Amino acid sequence: MEAVNTHHEEYVSTEPFISQINCPKLACVVPWVESPVASSITYQGNGMENKQQSNGELKENKAVKKKMNWSGSLIVASLTGAFGSSFLYGYNLSVVNAPAVYIKKFYNETWERRYGFSVDESTLTLLWSITVSIFAIGGLVGAIIVTPIVKFFGRKCTLLLNNVFAVTAALLMSLSLLAGSFEMLILGRIIMGVDAGISLSALPMYLSEISPKEIRGSLGQVTAIFICIGVFTGQVLGLPEIFGQESRWPYLFGAIIVPSLIQALILPFLPESPRYLLLEKHDTSKAEKAFQTFLGKDDVSHEVEEVLAESRVQRNTKLVSILQLLKTRAVRWQVITVVVTMGCYQLCGLNAIWYYTNNIFSEAGINRETIPYVTLSTGAVETLAAVFSGLVIERLGRRPLLIGGFGLMIVFFAVLTVSLTLQKTVHWLPYLSIFCILAIIASFCIGPGGIPFVLTGEFFQQSQRPAAFMIAGTVNWLSNFAVGLLFPFIQSGLQTYCFLVFAAICFAGATYLFFVLPETKNKTFHEISQAFAKRNKVSLEMQEMNHYSGERKSSAEQESNFTSSVDNGETKKGIV
């Protein structure tokens, strides 16, 4: 840590010069905080000795991390957190699909009992679209209120308190048929959306802060895996042999209580996020215990020092608001990238398939009695694809999986459009439509299905992360609402060409990510900031500054200047 302190003092001593140049982007290209980066710096005089020593320490640390990364507590925390959070989000995406016919009949009977006449078809379609899409409005509310909640209660306690919304929603929706009130079902969907909005921000935040950076991507994919498992579970329970009957559909919504109770029983015995305890609560003792529990080892001084190094740089930085984050030029491209990835995550068309799978298969010519079992295959495929993504994300990286997933979706959306258009002329084309839907789902879950949540946690430092997740959540839920509400009308207007809209969105997203998104696997926040700066040519500004400073300084002062370059995620520094 002597190297870090010396380096930090050098940086402070150059502060007047930096302020004189007046370059707000400088912060995104000069990494000062992470001790692995700082410890690899070579200094004039005893540089080689320090470098060799630090390299040896880094090798030892990597060897230890490979053995200690996946502790029992880390696995239990991720599985329990995801089961009571992202699982319920996926479950509520698909649970309305199987009983749609019975719920519409319930709406019609209730309307006729109240007003003495049957509801017309357009009003019934509107009521059903509201029931499906109102879930996203609740999610938007949850995404907006999550920042003050996670700040005050912490990440783990927020997940625990969130179960109140889930239990309340489950009771309202499951008792709506008995009470003869479809308003209870709609209100329950709103409250369930609030639960999902909070959990989809708090859970990735919690997982990204309790996991070592070497497995941050794999652990972050737990969110996507459990979304897929939730979708699949909703499809299984919706089969006619289980709860997919007219008298049993309320049980589909009552089952939501089970994951909430399991999470409420297990999660209290696990620690809070150590980064939250150290950086926001300043409780070193509890943070050390949390690190020891999650990493499964006694010596956590290296991990604590990494966080403290970040804390020293941020010691005068308070939790930033959304407006402050949007005004910060150093993370502007990170914010834009989060908005693009989250928007494409929802607008790429997967939620349309999850919400209206039965209608799509019916239009494809599949027998209505066979549809529930064909739909079941979509949940199985997406679960397997999400698990595959979790296994390979640390090897292949985020960027190729994300761009490749969108690229494959473009291809299969185009084939699906042709298949649906010509299915009445060729008898085997409905089967090609089914294959395309399964391929689209698999392509989505391999990359776009979970990586946006991982990237949001990786792009921003501790003080910016809650605001970043609020922005991501807002975009996520507004896009979700738009798809759920508008897709039935898009489908009726464009018929078989409706999926070309989603193909265009996937193409736009993949193009943007190809030119802007750097690889983030196994990198610290500051290394990611450097990569963004290099990709967006902010490094040219640094070269101009160095040239400008060289003209003003004497040759003796120039010897203390340095240059930095980022090459394949490894930071190499030297004195010029």
Side-chain angles (χ1 to χ4, degrees):
M1 286 312 300
E2 292 177 4
V4 174
N5 293 335
T6 305
H7 195 65
H8 183 66
E9 289 170 7
E10 274 191 35
Y11 169 68
V12 173
S13 67
T14 61
E15 218 168 0
F17 169 70
I18 292 173
S19 61
Q20 188 177 13
I21 296 301
N22 191 21
C23 174
K25 291 186 180 180
L26 184 60
C28 68
V29 291
V30 184
W32 299 110
V33 301
E34 300 287 351
S35 57
V37 177
S39 62
S40 65
I41 299 170
T42 308
Y43 290 94
Q44 204 167 7
N46 60 348
M48 289 300 296
E49 188 177 340
N50 286 341
K51 186 174 182 179
Q52 291 173 358
Q53 183 179 357
S54 62
N55 286 341
E57 291 174 356
L58 283 174
K59 288 179 181 179
E60 291 177 5
N61 288 331
K62 286 181 180 179
V64 171
K65 285 179 181 179
K66 285 181 180 179
K67 296 178 181 178
M68 297 295 184
N69 273 340
W70 294 96
S71 68
S73 298
L74 192 62
I75 294 173
V76 172
S78 59
L79 295 182
T80 304
F83 187 54
S85 301
S86 59
F87 172 87
L88 289 181
Y89 168 71
Y91 182 83
N92 280 280
L93 286 178
S94 66
V95 73
V96 294
N97 194 25
V101 176
Y102 306 126
I103 294 176
K104 289 179 181 179
K105 183 179 178 182
F106 163 59
Y107 282 11
N108 192 33
E109 291 175 349
T110 304
W111 190 281
E112 188 173 359
R113 186 171 59 252
R114 290 180 184 177
Y115 306 110
F117 60 91
S118 299
V119 63
D120 60 90
E121 190 64 29
S122 60
T123 305
L124 183 60
T125 302
L126 180 61
L127 279 174
W128 178 241
S129 295
I130 291 174
T131 304
V132 172
S133 59
I134 204 72
F135 176 69
I137 296 298
L140 177 60
V141 174
I144 291 173
I145 66 176
V146 71
T147 296
I149 295 177
V150 296
K151 177 185 177 182
F152 186 80
F153 293 105
R155 283 55 164 157
K156 185 191 79 170
C157 291
T158 298
L159 293 174
L160 283 172
L161 293 173
N162 200 29
N163 290 304
V164 175
F165 291 109
V167 173
T168 303
L171 292 175
L172 284 170
M173 291 188 291
S174 60
L175 297 176
S176 60
L177 179 63
L178 185 63
S181 172
F182 61 79
E183 292 86 354
M184 289 176 61
L185 181 59
I186 295 175
L187 179 60
R189 289 281 292 175
I190 296 175
I191 297 174
M192 196 65 234
V194 175
D195 172 271
I198 293 174
S199 64
L200 283 189
S201 293
L203 177 65
M205 206 181 301
Y206 183 58
L207 294 181
S208 67
E209 292 180 6
I210 67 175
S211 59
K213 64 178 182 291
E214 289 78 13
I215 59 169
R216 191 172 53 210
S218 297
L219 198 67
Q221 281 295 89
V222 170
T223 300
I225 292 171
F226 270 80
I227 289 175
C228 297
I229 294 175
V231 171
F232 182 66
T233 304
Q235 293 169 344
V236 171
L237 295 182
L239 291 174
E241 292 82 0
I242 307 178
F243 296 142
Q245 299 180 14
E246 186 172 1
S247 60
R248 296 181 184 175
W249 67 260
Y251 295 115
L252 284 169
F253 299 101
I256 292 170
I257 294 177
V258 177
S260 298
L261 292 179
I262 291 175
Q263 186 185 75
L265 289 174
I266 298 176
L267 209 56
F269 297 99
L270 295 167
E272 178 58 84
S273 160
R275 294 179 65 87
Y276 170 79
L277 292 171
L278 201 57
L279 293 179
E280 298 185 34
K281 290 299 181 182
H282 310 292
D283 193 333
T284 306
S285 177
K286 286 186 178 180
E288 288 179 351
K289 291 180 181 178
F291 269 126
Q292 289 170 350
T293 302
F294 286 131
L295 300 181
K297 60 181 182 180
D298 295 328
D299 184 11
V300 293
S301 56
H302 177 75
E303 287 77 12
V304 172
E305 188 52 49
E306 278 188 341
V307 180
L308 286 176
E310 181 179 342
S311 177
R312 281 192 288 271
V313 173
Q314 301 180 49
R315 60 185 179 273
N316 296 322
T317 303
K318 297 180 180 179
L319 203 65
V320 302
S321 65
I322 292 180
L323 188 60
Q324 290 172 329
L325 185 63
L326 293 175
K327 288 182 178 179
T328 305
R329 296 181 64 186
V331 294
R332 180 170 297 171
W333 282 104
Q334 287 91 317
V335 172
I336 294 173
T337 304
V338 164
V339 171
V340 170
T341 52
M342 277 298 178
C344 292
Y345 169 76
Q346 292 291 353
L347 297 176
C348 68
L350 246 290
N351 279 348
I353 291 177
W354 280 334
Y355 284 143
Y356 303 102
T357 306
N358 287 5
N359 289 339
I360 293 171
F361 283 149
S362 179
E363 291 292 328
I366 305 301
N367 192 318
R368 183 162 292 275
E369 287 74 23
T370 312
I371 285 177
Y373 305 97
V374 178
T375 302
L376 201 62
S377 64
T378 64
V381 167
E382 65 190 358
T383 303
L384 293 174
V387 172
F388 171 79
S389 177
L391 293 175
V392 303
I393 187 173
E394 294 299 347
R395 290 189 176 186
L396 299 181
R398 285 72 156 145
R399 191 170 183 271
L401 288 177
L402 195 57
I403 297 173
F406 280 131
L408 290 174
M409 290 177 72
I410 295 169
V411 174
F412 290 117
F413 270 134
V415 177
L416 177 62
T417 301
V418 174
S419 174
L420 291 176
T421 304
L422 303 177
Q423 66 181 0
K424 292 182 180 179
T425 60
V426 182
H427 71 279
W428 52 266
L429 278 180
Y431 301 100
L432 179 61
S433 300
I434 295 175
F435 171 78
C436 287
I437 288 175
L438 295 178
I440 290 167
I441 291 172
S443 303
F444 174 82
C445 292
I446 286 174
I451 292 177
F453 299 100
V454 177
L455 293 180
T456 307
E458 290 181 331
F459 282 172
F460 303 93
Q461 60 187 359
Q462 188 79 11
S463 60
Q464 299 167 337
R465 202 167 287 137
F469 270 102
M470 184 183 288
I471 293 172
T474 302
V475 174
N476 177 31
W477 289 106
L478 284 176
S479 304
N480 187 310
F481 175 74
V483 172
L485 184 64
L486 299 178
F487 180 72
F489 302 100
I490 295 174
Q491 188 181 26
S492 61
L494 297 179
Q495 299 296 325
T496 57
Y497 297 99
C498 62
F499 292 106
L500 292 180
V501 176
F502 302 124
I505 293 171
C506 291
F507 177 78
T511 303
Y512 171 87
L513 294 171
F514 179 80
F515 288 106
V516 175
L517 180 68
E519 183 53 65
T520 63
K521 71 171 183 177
N522 202 25
K523 291 183 180 179
T524 65
F525 160 74
H526 290 276
E527 290 169 340
I528 293 171
S529 296
Q530 278 188 313
F532 265 105
K534 182 180 179 181
R535 185 167 292 276
N536 295 289
K537 300 182 180 180
V538 181
S539 57
L540 293 176
E541 188 173 349
M542 277 295 296
Q543 292 175 7
E544 293 176 2
M545 289 176 55
N546 289 337
H547 178 70
Y548 177 69
S549 63
E551 292 178 351
R552 296 189 54 183
K553 291 187 176 183
S554 65
S555 59
E557 289 174 319
Q558 289 177 18
E559 290 179 357
S560 64
N561 290 337
F562 64 93
T563 58
S564 61
S565 61
V566 179
D567 186 18
N568 297 328
E570 296 180 3
T571 306
K572 299 179 180 180
K573 294 183 179 287
I575 298 298
V576 177

